[in-house]
Amino acid sequence: MKLLSIAIAPVIIAVIYIYIRDKYEKEPWDLLFLGVIFGAVITAPIIKIENIVTSWMPVLGKIEEAFYMAFIVASLVEEAMKYIVLYFLSWRNRNFNEKFDGIVYAVFIALGFAGVENILYVFNPDFGGLDTAIGRSIISVPAHGIFGVSMGYSFAMAKFEPENRTRHMLLGFIVPLLLHGVFDFILLSEISVLMPLFWVFVLFLWVYALKRIKIHVESSPFKPTKEK
């Protein structure tokens, strides 16, 4: 029960934080619930696809293998599935009526996936346990939320700036893919010189995400006139 609580806690905290930041025109809970559920459900096909893609990996050196696993197996597959769910869940939904909504939907989907993934890691008999639960809760789960922020930020730009729609739609997929890939590559490669840079990268991710959250919150058309 303790491990399960630690595995789920960061998801709950992140969901509450994003919901609170959506302060001018909140999204309906049933839609947000669907986002979390769909994010959780896609864990199964993601694992299946990742296993297939892993089986395609040619014989590589350690660094090349880390790159393949980080950018192709994990990042490409996971972010593509999240992006597909985000599009079909929200693009034509009438509740998607301001830019910050894109971030809300993307983060809820990402956290649904991250929650299930975290539980699977924490209870894995080979490398799970308390240390894994704490480490992933502090680093990996928030990272998935941040990848969701980057996806939702550009996805919303595509929705509300149709003149640059293609560019923003591509950025909504490519940016989180790259951020996710770099994050995993540093950890998987185990290159000692990169480890200090990992924490710099994590700090960059937080600053990056919080800035984009602020931009879309402040641009809300539902913001009271006196605050504009």
Side-chain angles (χ1 to χ4, degrees):
M1 190 64 181
K2 180 180 179 180
L3 285 179
L4 182 61
S5 299
I6 296 175
I8 295 176
V11 173
I12 296 174
I13 292 171
V15 160
I16 292 174
Y17 172 75
I18 291 295
Y19 186 75
I20 291 174
R21 290 304 304 270
D22 189 17
K23 58 183 179 179
Y24 297 118
E25 204 269 339
K26 293 190 181 298
E27 303 313 292
W29 267 110
D30 57 344
L31 186 58
L32 299 180
F33 179 74
L34 281 177
V36 173
I37 293 300
F38 287 151
V41 168
I42 62 173
T43 306
I46 283 176
I47 291 174
K48 180 66 175 178
I49 295 170
E50 286 182 336
N51 287 336
I52 293 173
V53 176
T54 299
S55 70
W56 293 343
M57 183 174 62
V59 178
L60 301 169
K62 182 178 180 180
I63 303 303
E64 293 82 1
E65 181 177 327
F67 183 90
Y68 185 91
M69 294 297 296
F71 284 92
I72 307 301
V73 176
S75 180
L76 178 60
V77 175
E78 292 172 16
E79 299 308 324
M81 291 293 287
K82 294 178 199 172
Y83 197 78
I84 291 170
V85 172
L86 175 61
Y87 180 84
F88 284 103
L89 177 70
S90 66
W91 186 258
R92 299 186 184 279
N93 194 293
R94 61 183 177 81
N95 293 289
F96 191 0
N97 53 11
E98 63 169 318
K99 290 179 178 177
F100 189 66
D101 293 347
I103 290 179
V104 175
Y105 300 138
V107 171
F108 270 64
I109 292 166
L111 291 173
F113 167 76
V116 175
E117 182 190 54
N118 208 33
I119 292 171
L120 294 176
Y121 269 98
V122 167
F123 287 96
N124 187 290
D126 295 323
F127 50 77
L130 184 59
D131 290 343
T132 298
I134 294 174
R136 287 188 55 82
S137 295
I138 294 174
I139 301 173
S140 299
V141 174
H144 275 289
I146 290 171
F147 305 149
V149 170
S150 67
M151 180 179 291
Y153 176 86
S154 294
F155 188 75
M157 296 291 282
K159 172 78 171 181
F160 295 99
E161 296 185 8
E163 66 276 10
N164 294 310
R165 178 159 293 166
T166 300
R167 173 175 177 269
H168 289 305
M169 289 292 279
L170 288 173
L171 288 174
F173 176 61
I174 293 172
V175 173
L177 185 153
L178 293 176
L179 295 178
H180 191 165
V182 171
F183 182 92
D184 282 5
F185 175 74
I186 295 175
L187 293 177
L188 293 173
S189 65
E190 298 181 340
I191 300 175
S192 57
V193 71
L194 291 180
M195 292 314 298
L197 296 178
F198 176 74
W199 299 108
V200 176
F201 183 64
V202 169
L203 178 61
F204 161 76
L205 288 177
W206 277 97
V207 173
Y208 170 90
L210 292 174
K211 181 178 180 180
R212 275 147 186 77
I213 288 173
K214 182 178 180 180
I215 289 172
H216 276 357
V217 168
E218 293 302 313
S219 70
S220 174
F222 302 102
K223 187 177 180 180
T225 304
K226 64 181 180 179
E227 292 187 31
K228 292 184 178 180

